[in-house]
Amino acid sequence: MTKRMIVIVCGTALLIAAAAAVGAVVASRNRRQPLPPPDVPVAASPAEVRVKAVEVKVETAAEGEAATASAAVAIVCGEDATTADRYEARNDALRSIARRRDLPEKDVAALIAYLRTADNAMRVERVAALKNDVMNLLRNQDPPAEGLAETLMGMFEGGKHPPAVLDYCIQHLGAMLDELDEKGRLRVRAVLAKAAKRTKLPYAGTALYSLAEDARATPAQDKELKGLALALCKPGANHVARIAAIQLAGERGYAEALPVLRETLLGARRDAVLDTVCIGSIGLLGNADDIALLERFKGDARRSAAVDAAIKRIKGREDIGTPTAGKEASLTLRPLLRAVQPHEIRSDSFGGLGAVPPDKESIVGGNNRGFATRS
């Protein structure tokens, strides 16, 4: 090989080695600094990164909260087979969303659909309590759930719900009277009047008080209320409803109820709660001629407080020449019921008071009026 050829070969080898070295350096740099994907900005400032991260977190929290509410609603409505017959689990689920005022429309629709359906998975009193709380939740939505009044009226007319559930429907309809337009108010009043005419059922008394709460009632409607109350005061009406009617008659000054009240106290059959409300209403409606009748119960520890208060009211009115109590002079009879022994009072139809046979277990509490209120 000539000297010239040796030089050429050596030069070529050196060039190949140099190129290989440069390629290795470039590859090493590429491995340390990979190129970003084409859809991601190459130079994003820290501020921009932080803003995007916060936005993602807010969206995730909102979606998670909605999903949690929907899951709770499903349990409340009995859609979860593992908890459908467990009141505690369904009640806890309802409590978890009880303060929500902005439930999604699909959850509101699911709750309204649940109200319409019969729930046979639990005992009646537990179903009634759960549905009452569902009604409260729906009424507390902002704005209130659309179609709730129509749903409650439909439940009453449908005939497939037990009286305990219907009692709650009537309570809520009465509480909604002032929230409805005139057309809606008249429709609700018609349902309440129909309920008050069912004198054999305990919710007739609830309907009576619901009508009495109508702040926009006309004189003609007040007259209708009076007729319904006097009908429920008579013997033969449901015991709970009759007690509510007698109490309302005293508060409203319906003196036409006096003959029935006197006959009840003169009768041979005794009932501590019924006697107490009759004594209280006679105190609001009666006159000096009724004092002798009232004094017959003065020695009874369970009725003596009611007797003393009634006689005091009669004497006070006789002194000022006021023949009847009326709205202005009426006082609630609830304090008079405190004189009745607890074992003689029970909560009937979730709010009414009634006498209990001495051999039956009783629950103290309840309120004839028992209206549901918005918190």
Side-chain angles (χ1 to χ4, degrees):
M1 180 180 294
T2 64
K3 183 182 295 186
R4 183 177 178 184
M5 291 180 63
I6 293 173
V7 171
I8 292 173
V9 169
C10 291
T12 302
L14 290 173
L15 289 174
I16 293 172
V22 171
V25 171
V26 172
S28 174
R29 288 182 178 180
N30 287 341
R31 282 196 298 270
R32 287 197 302 267
Q33 297 180 358
L35 291 176
D39 58 341
V40 177
V42 175
S45 71
E48 289 175 333
V49 173
R50 283 196 297 271
V51 169
K52 289 178 182 178
V54 170
E55 289 174 354
V56 171
K57 289 180 180 178
V58 169
E59 291 173 358
T60 302
E63 291 174 359
E65 188 176 351
T68 301
S70 295
V73 168
I75 294 174
V76 171
C77 296
E79 296 175 4
D80 178 12
T82 62
T83 58
D85 61 347
R86 293 170 50 202
Y87 171 76
E88 292 79 6
R90 294 172 68 176
N91 185 54
D92 288 345
L94 184 57
R95 287 178 178 274
S96 71
I97 56 173
R99 295 186 179 277
R100 290 287 302 270
R101 300 292 184 267
D102 58 347
L103 289 175
E105 290 184 7
K106 64 176 183 178
D107 288 345
V108 171
L111 291 170
I112 288 181
Y114 167 65
L115 289 179
R116 294 194 187 104
T117 59
D119 188 343
N120 300 316
M122 300 185 297
R123 297 202 306 267
V124 170
E125 67 272 15
R126 292 190 168 185
V127 172
L130 186 68
K131 289 198 172 187
N132 172 58
D133 288 337
V134 170
M135 294 174 200
N136 275 320
L137 176 60
L138 291 173
R139 289 186 55 231
N140 282 330
Q141 294 304 296
D142 187 14
E146 186 177 353
L148 180 58
E150 289 76 9
T151 296
L152 300 182
M153 289 188 286
M155 291 170 66
F156 177 80
E157 299 286 3
K160 65 180 180 181
H161 298 279
V165 173
L166 296 182
D167 198 299
Y168 278 129
C169 291
I170 292 167
Q171 290 180 33
H172 283 275
L173 285 172
M176 295 169 68
L177 273 173
D178 291 339
E179 304 168 6
L180 301 172
D181 59 22
E182 185 63 12
K183 183 179 179 180
R185 183 185 75 91
L186 293 176
R187 289 183 61 203
V188 169
R189 279 194 63 95
V191 171
L192 295 177
K194 185 175 181 178
K197 292 176 182 177
R198 297 181 178 179
T199 58
K200 301 296 184 181
L201 294 170
Y203 58 65
T206 304
L208 199 67
Y209 265 102
S210 293
L211 288 168
E213 295 294 313
D214 186 1
R216 290 180 281 172
T218 64
Q221 290 167 342
D222 283 337
K223 184 178 180 180
E224 177 189 36
L225 173 65
K226 182 177 182 178
L228 294 169
L230 294 176
L232 277 174
C233 286
K234 297 177 181 178
N238 176 271
H239 185 73
V240 175
R242 188 182 181 203
I243 288 171
I246 291 172
Q247 180 170 322
L248 182 66
E251 293 175 349
R252 287 284 179 136
Y254 300 156
E256 295 86 344
L258 276 170
V260 172
L261 306 185
R262 291 165 181 154
E263 290 173 7
T264 301
L265 293 182
L266 287 169
R269 188 176 180 180
R270 298 270 60 85
D271 180 281
V273 178
L274 182 61
D275 288 347
T276 299
V277 293
C278 285
I279 290 168
S281 287
I282 288 177
L284 292 169
L285 303 172
N287 53 52
D289 294 337
D290 293 306
I291 292 178
L293 172 60
L294 298 176
E295 286 180 337
R296 293 175 56 181
F297 299 92
K298 199 165 187 179
D300 190 323
R302 295 168 295 180
R303 299 166 176 82
S304 59
V307 170
D308 291 342
I311 292 176
K312 183 177 180 180
R313 289 172 183 171
I314 289 174
K315 289 183 176 179
R317 286 200 310 279
E318 291 290 324
D319 291 342
I320 63 175
T322 304
T324 60
K327 294 181 183 179
E328 294 76 17
S330 68
L331 296 173
T332 179
L333 299 178
R334 182 59 46 189
L336 303 179
L337 294 175
R338 295 174 185 161
V340 183
Q341 293 300 311
H343 71 273
E344 291 188 320
I345 305 179
R346 68 182 168 92
S347 175
D348 192 332
S349 187
F350 301 91
L353 292 173
V356 189
D359 61 333
K360 301 294 183 182
E361 182 180 358
S362 62
I363 301 173
V364 180
N367 183 331
N368 285 350
R369 300 173 72 167
F371 288 114
T373 57
R374 295 187 68 180
S375 58

